[in-house]
């Protein structure tokens, strides 16, 4: 039995399964990852997109952010087989929650095809797994003053046309609705993520280098609370020592296979 098969058995017998995802799950959809050979941070200076720069120099921040947004999300990206496999596991009640570091919205798209209408806090209860976007959603912007959310595309177009920084009707400066380096994650979101990790019987870390806190500490938190930890990632991560199962496979191979194995084992009974 390989690690994926043992994970499937654990999932079949688990009460609560939680998945943490990173840029690697969206890479097969064409969304660039941040680290590694061709990572975004090899081509852009991440310091230029930190919260402190947004506060100090919103015009310069936005001028650079337009290019980064184009680089990250300029294409027409669709969910891939890995997103779909997690959505199917959610529908089969084999997955309680998806905690994603990604801001591309692709987990929501994968669930959208079956779930009800999109909710703006992007957490769904009931049939679909809860989706917590730990770092926000780059399809939206939010006013730094009044907090009003708006669709991102028209605001990025205004910025690309020289409206720097783009402002809300209230006069406040818009900010991409993502958690910037140096910015706190919303307290409720990280508390919910931590309690889900602690409650999990199986915790999957998928397509993440697990180097950015506080998300990177979730696998260890789950392990310390007794969860079986599975890491599905092409490269090593600092959390590999906590893993009961290490799967060095492409997500588009591993996750559909895992979903099939879970379904088979469920059928096998
Ligand atoms: N299958 C499996 N793993 C993959 C695949 C794939 N097809 N493609 C890439 N990976 C792995 C890489 O080996 C790498 O370890 O996915 C990981 C992606 O790591 P990062 O690019 O660092 O992305 P992530 O871990 O999500 O970054 C966390 O950093 O810049 C911030 O806010 C940003 O949310 C992001 C955070």
């Amino acid at each position: 039995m390989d690690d994926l098969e043992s994970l499937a058995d654990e999932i079949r017998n688990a009460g609560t399964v939680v998945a943490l995802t990173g840029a690697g799950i969206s890479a097969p959809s064409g969304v660039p990852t941040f680290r590694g050979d061709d990572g975004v941070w090899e081509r852009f200076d991440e310091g230029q997109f930190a919260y402190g720069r947004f506060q100090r120099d919103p015009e310069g921040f936005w001028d650079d952010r337009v290019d980064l947004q184009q680089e990250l999300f300029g294409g027409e990206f669709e969910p891939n087989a890995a997103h779909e496999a997690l959505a199917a596991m959610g529908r089969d009640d084999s997955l309680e929650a998806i905690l994603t570091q990604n801001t591309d919205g692709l987990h929501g798209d994968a669930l959208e095809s079956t779930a009800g209408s999109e909710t703006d806090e992007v957490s769904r209860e009931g049939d679909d797994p809860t989706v917590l976007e730990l770092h926000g959603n780059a399809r939206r912007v939010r006013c730094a003053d009044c907090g009003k959310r708006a669709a991102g595309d028209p605001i990025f177009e205004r910025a690309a046309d020289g409206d720097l920084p783009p402002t809300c009707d209230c006069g406040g400066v818009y900010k991409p609705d993502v958690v910037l380096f140096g910015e706190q994650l919303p307290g409720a979101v990280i508390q919910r993520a931590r309690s889900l990790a602690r409650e999990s019987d199986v915790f999957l870390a998928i397509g993440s280098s697990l180097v950015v806190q506080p998300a990177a500490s979730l696998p260890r938190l789950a392990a310390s609370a007794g969860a079986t930890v599975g890491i599905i990632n092409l490269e090593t991560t600092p959390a590999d020592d906590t893993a009961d199962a290490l799967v060095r496979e492409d997500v588009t191979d591993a996750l559909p296979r895992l979903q099939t194995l879970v379904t088979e084992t469920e059928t096998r009974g």
Side-chain angles (χ1 to χ4, degrees):
M1 180 181 289
D2 72 10
D3 277 12
L4 211 63
E5 288 165 332
S6 63
L7 263 184
D9 276 357
E10 290 284 339
I11 288 170
R12 186 172 66 81
N13 299 314
T16 303
V17 180
V18 174
L20 168 69
T21 66
I25 200 170
S26 294
S29 295
V31 182
T33 56
F34 292 96
R35 295 168 186 82
D37 297 345
D38 192 27
V40 163
W41 299 137
E42 299 299 316
R43 299 192 296 279
F44 288 80
D45 168 8
E46 64 187 65
Q48 298 291 74
F49 304 100
Y51 190 43
R53 182 172 189 215
F54 171 77
Q55 292 174 306
R56 195 176 52 250
D57 173 20
E59 184 174 342
F61 172 93
W62 266 99
D63 201 15
D64 292 335
R65 181 74 198 199
V66 167
D67 295 339
L68 179 67
Q69 187 83 359
Q70 181 60 30
E71 171 70 19
L72 278 171
F73 307 119
E76 289 295 317
F77 303 124
E78 298 291 328
N80 62 56
H83 295 107
E84 301 294 352
L86 289 188
M89 286 174 69
R91 279 196 301 274
D92 299 343
D93 284 338
S94 306
L95 184 65
E96 168 85 14
I98 300 171
L99 317 176
T100 187
Q101 300 171 87
N102 299 340
T103 61
D104 54 35
L106 288 177
H107 284 299
D109 291 350
L111 290 163
E112 202 59 34
S113 53
T114 55
S117 62
E118 188 162 334
T119 53
D120 64 9
E121 65 274 12
V122 196
S123 68
R124 296 178 174 85
E125 304 296 342
D127 293 346
D128 282 341
T130 299
V131 177
L132 281 188
E133 292 180 315
L134 304 178
H135 296 166
N137 188 311
R139 296 181 184 175
R140 298 191 302 260
V141 293
R142 191 165 192 186
C143 175
D145 282 3
C146 72
K148 187 182 85 172
R149 279 194 171 112
D153 283 352
I155 305 302
F156 276 98
E157 278 158 32
R158 277 173 44 190
D161 292 344
D163 177 7
L164 297 170
T167 54
C168 168
D169 298 343
C170 81
V173 176
Y174 273 124
K175 178 177 137 338
D177 196 14
V178 299
V179 178
L180 301 174
F181 282 113
E183 188 179 10
Q184 291 294 317
L185 274 73
V189 170
I190 192 59
Q191 278 149 30
R192 178 117 164 76
R194 286 187 173 129
S195 61
L196 283 162
R198 274 193 289 269
E199 287 159 21
S200 65
D201 300 304
V202 177
F203 190 91
L204 305 173
I206 303 165
S208 176
S209 59
L210 296 174
V211 295
V212 174
Q213 296 297 350
S217 59
L218 292 173
R220 209 170 290 278
L221 178 64
S224 65
T228 297
V229 173
I231 296 181
I232 300 172
N233 205 58
L234 282 180
E235 293 161 340
T236 59
T237 80
D240 285 357
D241 62 299
T242 67
D244 303 282
L246 270 179
V247 179
R248 288 269 175 271
E249 284 180 37
D250 189 295
V251 288
T252 53
D253 297 324
L255 288 176
R257 191 157 73 88
L258 180 67
Q259 193 253 330
T260 305
L261 285 166
V262 169
T263 313
E264 271 170 7
T265 48
E266 274 168 349
T267 317
R268 198 167 59 220

